[in-house]
Amino acid sequence: MKSIRIGTRNSALALWQAREVARHLQNNNYLTEIVPIISSGDKNLNQPLYSLGITGIFTRDLDIALLNDQIDIAVHSLKDVPTVLPEKIELIAHLERDFPQDVLIRKESARNKEFHELKLATSSLRRRAFWLKNFPNAEFSDIRGNIQTRLQKLEEGDFDATILSLAGIKRMKMDIEYEMLPFLIPAASQGVITIAGHSEKEEINNIVKQINHKKTQICVEIERNFLNTLEGGCTAPIGAFAELFDNQIRFKAALCSLDGKNCIATDENFIYNDEENYGKKFAKAVLENGGKELMAEIKNQI
């Protein structure tokens, strides 16, 4: 068959992730071609986007490219992918998770400050809420952009530190000091590269399924089902992380209020059975334990 067209965003990290998928496919003797997708502004889709249910600020352009047959597969950071996918788009494979953790990066002038003294730059509701749970008087600044942009803003801005995904730092081979934050439960499926495809392209989808990492798939499906059941389309401070050892899973998750004062957590150990929807089950327990009211409160605030 002709080479598999791999769609990706145009950032350095996204291109690295696309090349990693290409490497796996090439190891199975398939030809690949990387297609950077920059903007959806000049693309014409026959159906309006809202009718296809296309959401996700980081995935929308690649969804359109898939539906328009400009690419065969799309590579994403799985934590950026909405839990409800557009019509005719499905997740085909996940690469093995590498670094799920969040880490703290300080500027030189804040080296000796205690955690509770730091002024933090992060726009993530999850990172803010989990930080406030531990350090209730913390101050925050908004910060957006890719890793390099955020690090530059850290040096130039009026704050002490920022929080980044360790996966991005490691994949970019960045030589910077960081501190682990064990109290910060990662976002669902953080540290996982995923591959989306068009549900009608069976031949290509079957090829891509060959590089799926099953243990990672089991864990992220639990995390994403938990997130989907809680969210109901609302962005909220939710952490969810599953680890699989042999057939035993440990699942840690929490839903926090925006100010971090009210957190409903769960920490479960269980024997895995592929017929059970664990994410949904644990999310329902959180909702029944005050999570429903907390989610309503969060929706009113954002």
Side-chain angles (χ1 to χ4, degrees), residues 23 108 138:
R23 183 177 69 81
E108 195 62 43

Side-chain angles (χ1 to χ4, degrees), residues 242-262:
E243 280 184 286
L244 177 60
F245 309 94
D246 298 320
N247 66 337
Q248 182 103 4
I249 288 181
R250 183 180 184 190
F251 179 67
K252 288 177 65 178
L255 164 67
C256 279
S257 60
L258 296 179
D259 61 10
K261 289 178 181 173
N262 184 6

Side-chain angles (χ1 to χ4, degrees), residues 47 58 64 278-279:
Q47 288 175 275
F58 297 118
I64 295 166
Y278 294 102

Side-chain angles (χ1 to χ4, degrees), residues 140-153:
F140 298 100
S141 292
D142 278 318
I143 192 171
R144 288 185 173 83
N146 61 34
I147 295 174
Q148 291 83 353
T149 303
R150 290 192 210 188
L151 291 174
Q152 187 179 343
K153 287 180 178 177

Side-chain angles (χ1 to χ4, degrees), residues 51-273:
S51 73
L52 292 167
I54 292 185
T55 58
I57 190 167
F58 297 118
T59 56
R60 188 183 295 123
D61 293 340
L62 291 170
D63 289 339
I64 295 166
L66 270 176
L67 294 169
N68 278 345
D69 195 32
Q70 293 169 282
I71 55 176
D72 298 309
I73 57 174
V75 176
H76 303 290
S77 294
L78 183 53
K79 78 167 185 175
D80 293 337
V81 179
T83 55
V84 177
L85 298 173
E87 196 180 317
K88 296 188 178 176
I89 288 177
E90 61 183 75
L91 299 182
I92 314 163
H94 311 295
L95 300 192
E96 183 174 4
R97 178 183 251 155
D98 45 17
F99 303 99
Q101 303 92 340
D102 285 311
V103 292
L104 183 76
I105 317 285
R106 298 173 185 251
K107 63 177 15 168
E108 195 62 43
S109 58
R111 287 277 170 236
N112 298 319
K113 287 191 176 183
E114 299 292 333
F115 275 10
H116 69 270
E117 299 174 302
L118 294 173
K119 184 176 180 183
L120 269 187
T122 177
S123 299
S124 161
L125 295 180
R126 175 184 58 86
R127 288 168 176 161
R128 287 187 179 204
F130 279 85
W131 191 270
L132 284 167
K133 178 177 184 284
N134 292 274
F135 312 107
N137 298 316
E139 286 184 63
F140 298 100
S141 292
D142 278 318
I143 192 171
R144 288 185 173 83
N146 61 34
I147 295 174
Q148 291 83 353
T149 303
R150 290 192 210 188
L151 291 174
Q152 187 179 343
K153 287 180 178 177
L154 175 61
E155 287 310 309
E156 297 167 356
D158 179 29
F159 38 83
D160 301 313
T162 189
I163 299 172
L164 297 175
S165 162
L166 182 57
I169 293 167
K170 292 288 190 181
R171 289 169 191 168
M172 292 287 90
K173 293 187 165 54
M174 303 183 85
D175 184 22
I176 53 175
E177 288 185 32
Y178 58 83
E179 296 163 68
M180 304 303 284
L181 300 169
F183 59 84
L184 234 167
I185 301 174
S189 60
Q190 187 161 305
V192 177
I193 297 167
T194 196
I195 305 153
H198 196 299
S199 57
E200 292 172 3
K201 290 193 172 184
E202 285 187 31
E203 184 185 1
I204 284 171
N205 295 352
N206 287 333
I207 288 168
V208 175
K209 282 174 185 172
Q210 296 169 21
I211 67 170
N212 181 53
H213 190 260
K214 185 64 178 176
K215 285 176 80 169
T216 297
Q217 179 191 338
I218 287 168
C219 291
V220 297
E221 283 180 353
I222 293 171
E223 295 163 19
R224 283 170 61 81
N225 285 337
F226 179 85
L227 185 65
N228 177 255
T229 306
L230 278 187
E231 267 187 343
C234 168
T235 302
I238 298 168
F241 181 59
E243 280 184 286
L244 177 60
F245 309 94
D246 298 320
N247 66 337
Q248 182 103 4
I249 288 181
R250 183 180 184 190
F251 179 67
K252 288 177 65 178
L255 164 67
C256 279
S257 60
L258 296 179
D259 61 10
K261 289 178 181 173
N262 184 6
C263 276
I264 304 165
T266 183
D267 191 342
E268 308 281 346
N269 283 282
F270 54 93
I271 304 294
Y272 176 71
N273 170 358

